[in-house]
Amino acid sequence: MTRRLAAPSTTGVTQMHKLRSAFTALAVAGATAITVTAGAGPAAAAAPAALTGGAFLPVNGVADVAVDPTHQQVLITDMGSGELLSLSYFGGVQRSVVAGAEAQGVGLSPDNSTVYVTVGSEHEIMAFDAATLRVKRAYDVGEQVWPRDVTEIGGKIWFAYDKGLGSLDVATGEQKLYDVGLAAQIPLLLTAPGAPGTVVVADAWRFAPGSGRLAVFDVSSGTAVVKTKGQFGDGSLRNAALTPDGSSLIGFGSGCTIWKSPLSDLGSRTVAYDNGLCEPVSVDINTDGRVAVSNGNFDGTADVTVWPAGSAAPAEQFTGPASDEVWQVVWEPGGDRLFAFSASNEDWTFWPIHGSQPVRSTMTINAPATVAPGDAVRITGKLSRPGGTVRLTRDYPNTQALKKQVDVTTADENGNFTLTDASPDAVPARYTASYGGTDTVGPAFAAATVLIQRTTPALTVSHHNSVNGYGSTVTVTAHLGTTRTNRMVQIWADPYGAEPARLLRNYLVDAKGNLTASLKLTRNTVIEAKFLGDTKTAPASARSVLYTRPAVTLQPSRQYKAAKIGSVPYRFYRTTVHPYFLTTMTPYPGRKQRLELDVYSGGKWKPWRVLNLPLNSAGKSAFTLTGTHPAGARYRARTAYVYGTSGDTANYTTYTPYYYFTFTK
């Protein structure tokens, strides 16, 4: 029996969490009527038992699962790494092999000698020896075909694809496609041990209900013949399994109901297995008729429910950790073992339910808390099974980075081992050492988090503390030193005032590490260069202050002539005339001019009057020098914007030239 795809990646898990409430709220008013079978209501049961014996899975996501009772192994595919992995019945990794990018569906030949894996992005189906995972053959299905679920019946490989069913002759590779207009996103392929010639292909996807379209084929002759085509009335199907005799589907769509539907009449569904819970996610039926369903719950209610063959009353219920969602349940064909797979964010766990208890293993590890840039991470440990193979997996929690095996070693005669990662990225790295165990010995795991310190690159900005004219255009240069991978720099300008800083450039530096940006200055402006960092280089920033003079002029008037006294130009006023001084300055709210008047006395210029006079909205300020003006007295005047004194700090202190004047009769 081919099992339904579990979550292909941690991204899918996140999507599922976000969509959960939406799924529950979907109305089923337009669905085909579902009859409630007598006695089908939830039976009173004890609190669910806790899942125990969980084994860490060094994977990025469990795409599909198949149980091989001949070799007592659980086979899974990891789309992220493209690997096919063989797990013991206790969850330890025994072997692994790269199948290809986006390895997905996994199925077995009838004698369990061959494992088939669909590789969507490479449009292939790979065949592996089940005992060794060595490649036996690759089957090309064509660039327009994306194979998904897969199985072998009657010497042919049968696979689901988006439009229907495909077949490949095991010996010759001859291919046939049976397009039934399915238009499925992730098609589901179902078989049953009691009906080896029956294959069901359906549009169903765990993360959001499919359209509910399906087709039933008879493949007993080696050619697929359509027996039934249809669609569930409510137009939704999330997951389903075939009863052992191949006569009926047990499944669910949107909403909470788990139903049973004969293949011969898709409109006559009946509520078959009601455990009083919502969010059914996965379903599998053993060859003896026992049904197992997982529910996506986080409230302590059952995550896995088991019904005996022919019974509507749950016999067993199990719950996993509160943060985990059980994405997959799968039986050992013809056996008592039930396996579950759960995910919590990026972390996947294998749960063995029933079956024999393994000999327990223990492991401890010692890892450094921090590592200097460029240094390798060296982890030592001790395993209770001398001679056991220990693998080291690295991942970066809460990132999109994939899990990766970085080292493997063998514990010595005392159980001691050393593992090394030569090139970790400079973010907190989580390392998990794992021992896969054997058919009788359980796996062991230990984890540690290591912070790899990052180097801080050199970053500078030109023109710091420069004084610039009003309205001038300045080109600043940011220089970035050595980094790991990122060569992008941002240059921001933050002029004095209430408005936020603006981004001038966000671009790669040139071969010399430089990036330039130009801006027109009217106010004091802070230039900030930012480097956001990369895996081995810390973020950095640098600031440069560009001071800007305001435009300031002083225009005296009412003089009757201009002439020099010595070498100095003077303006001459009649003693009866009051000089008039007009100041024009770059306007700014609350700004004042500072008008300074000096008198020449005793052979020196001495301060006489200092006036702080407000500017109007146009930046103008006028002053008339009244009073008695003695003939022959000499004066000088200048105006200024003074940082912090003239009412603001928007510009750099700027003075006009002195204007000299005197009085005559």
Side-chain angles (χ1 to χ4, degrees), residues 653-664:
T653 297
T654 304
Y655 288 87
T656 64
Y658 279 109
Y659 292 89
Y660 295 83
F661 61 97
T662 188
F663 293 89
T664 62

Side-chain angles (χ1 to χ4, degrees), residues 470 522-523 550-551 584-591 615-620 648 650-651:
Y470 180 85
T522 59
R523 283 174 281 168
T584 302
M585 188 183 301
T586 303
Y588 196 83
R591 180 165 286 184
L615 303 176
N616 64 19
S617 59
K620 296 184 181 298
D648 61 78
N651 288 111

Side-chain angles (χ1 to χ4, degrees), residues 53-57 74 87-91 339-342 348-352:
F56 163 80
L57 291 178
V74 180
L87 311 178
S88 74
Y89 274 4
F90 308 119
F339 307 104
F341 295 82
S342 70
W348 285 80
T349 303
F350 172 96
W351 302 97

Side-chain angles (χ1 to χ4, degrees), residues 138-351:
Y139 297 90
D140 186 357
V141 297
E143 292 186 0
Q144 302 304 312
V145 178
W146 294 71
R148 300 299 183 181
D149 283 2
V150 62
T151 191
E152 182 190 331
I153 300 171
K156 288 193 175 181
I157 302 167
W158 299 91
F159 60 91
Y161 75 107
D162 59 345
K163 296 180 180 179
L165 182 67
S167 71
L168 288 165
D169 188 284
V170 172
T172 66
E174 180 184 359
Q175 176 178 296
K176 290 185 180 180
L177 298 177
Y178 302 90
D179 183 348
V180 291
L182 197 62
Q185 187 172 15
I186 304 289
L188 170 69
L189 184 147
L190 300 172
T191 61
T198 298
V199 174
V200 178
V201 179
D203 180 4
W205 192 39
R206 174 154 316 184
F207 308 118
S211 67
R213 298 191 193 97
L214 60 80
V216 182
F217 295 89
D218 181 354
V219 300
S220 57
S221 67
T223 299
V225 178
V226 177
K227 295 170 61 178
T228 305
K229 285 178 60 178
Q231 182 173 9
F232 288 115
D234 65 354
S236 70
L237 180 63
R238 283 187 65 186
N239 214 333
L242 266 179
T243 55
D245 62 3
S247 65
S248 300
L249 282 175
I250 295 174
F252 42 84
S254 57
C256 304
T257 305
I258 303 172
W259 41 254
K260 184 175 183 179
S261 175
L263 291 182
S264 59
D265 185 2
L266 300 178
S268 59
R269 294 184 295 180
T270 57
V271 174
Y273 298 92
D274 183 5
N275 58 359
L277 301 173
C278 268
E279 308 300 341
V281 179
S282 174
V283 57
D284 195 28
I285 309 172
N286 205 345
T287 51
D288 62 6
R290 284 175 292 175
V291 176
V293 170
S294 71
N295 291 81
N297 302 313
F298 296 92
D299 56 3
T301 55
D303 292 307
V304 177
T305 303
V306 179
W307 288 266
S311 173
E316 298 175 290
Q317 291 187 318
F318 303 89
T319 185
S323 61
D324 283 30
E325 184 165 6
V326 178
W327 282 99
Q328 181 80 3
V329 287
V330 57
W331 289 100
E332 176 192 29
D336 290 330
R337 299 176 190 268
L338 177 66
F339 307 104
F341 295 82
S342 70
S344 176
N345 296 321
E346 298 89 1
D347 298 329
W348 285 80
T349 303
F350 172 96
W351 302 97

Side-chain angles (χ1 to χ4, degrees), residues 11 41 85-86 108 113 143 149-150 192 238 263 271 273 317 366-367 390 411 446 479 511 535 552 592 598-599 638:
T11 302
L85 297 94
S86 166
L108 287 158
S113 65
E143 292 186 0
D149 283 2
V150 62
R238 283 187 65 186
L263 291 182
V271 174
Y273 298 92
Q317 291 187 318
N366 296 296
V390 183
H479 177 77
T535 56
V552 184
K592 302 174 183 179
D598 298 338
V599 62
R638 69 175 179 178

Side-chain angles (χ1 to χ4, degrees), residues 594-616:
R594 180 186 178 93
L595 183 63
E596 298 178 352
L597 297 167
D598 298 338
V599 62
Y600 192 76
S601 175
K604 295 180 180 180
W605 288 104
K606 299 179 180 180
W608 179 44
R609 299 178 69 177
V610 177
L611 304 167
N612 291 302
L613 304 174
L615 303 176
N616 64 19

Side-chain angles (χ1 to χ4, degrees), residues 518-541:
S518 299
L519 73 161
K520 187 176 182 179
L521 295 173
T522 59
R523 283 174 281 168
N524 295 338
T525 300
V526 174
I527 301 297
E528 184 172 19
K530 295 181 181 180
F531 168 71
L532 300 184
D534 56 35
T535 56
K536 289 195 174 181
T537 318
S541 63

